[in-house]
């Protein structure tokens, strides 16, 4: 097994409403993951995870920016080409 592997998670052309559903779902799942991580750390170790809180904030900002692009595409009657690569590095 190599040290790095890449996988195409998303590749295609989407209508704005499809893109919004797909991307919002991914971002919402990441926010949920970090929220649970933060909650778990508070309960088990009585400490906050600054990384999770910071990442949630970044993801919310990203979601807003992505939704702005989608709204513009929808207004201008465009489709969206989306490519999302997952890169995994074994350390």
């Amino acid at each position: 097994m190599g040290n790095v592997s890449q996988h195409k998670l998303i590749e295609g052309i989407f209508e704005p409403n499809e893109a919004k559903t797909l991307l919002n779902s991914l971002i919402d799942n990441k926010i949920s993951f970090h929220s649970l991580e933060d909650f778990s750390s508070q309960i088990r170790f009585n400490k906050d995870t600054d990384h999770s809180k910071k990442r949630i904030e970044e993801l919310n900002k990203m979601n807003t920016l992505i939704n702005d692009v989608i709204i513009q595409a929808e207004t201008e009657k465009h489709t969206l080409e989306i490519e999302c690569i997952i890169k995994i590095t074994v350390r």
Side-chain angles (χ1 to χ4, degrees):
M1 179 175 178
N3 288 339
V4 177
S5 65
Q6 291 190 0
H7 311 275
K8 287 185 183 179
L9 180 63
I10 304 169
E11 179 181 38
I13 298 174
F14 300 87
E15 293 295 324
N17 62 333
E18 296 171 321
K20 183 175 183 173
T21 300
L22 177 63
L23 296 174
N24 284 344
S25 177
L26 286 171
I27 293 169
D28 288 347
N29 279 320
K30 282 293 293 176
I31 290 171
S32 292
F33 170 81
H34 285 289
S35 294
L36 288 172
E37 184 178 86
D38 184 49
F39 178 75
S40 177
S41 291
Q42 288 177 9
I43 296 298
R44 291 187 323 184
F45 306 114
N46 199 27
K47 69 175 186 174
D48 291 335
T49 54
D50 291 333
H51 169 73
S52 288
K53 288 181 181 183
K54 181 180 177 188
R55 190 65 182 132
I56 291 169
E57 184 178 320
E58 291 169 352
L59 289 164
N60 281 319
K61 287 179 183 176
M62 181 190 316
N63 200 31
T64 299
L65 294 172
I66 287 171
N67 282 326
D68 289 346
V69 170
I70 292 170
I71 289 168
Q72 181 179 354
E74 191 170 37
T75 301
E76 297 174 2
K77 308 288 189 224
H78 294 291
T79 56
L80 297 157
E81 184 175 353
I82 302 172
E83 182 178 350
C84 179
I85 306 292
I86 302 295
K87 178 182 173 186
I88 302 170
T89 304
V90 178
R91 295 181 180 226

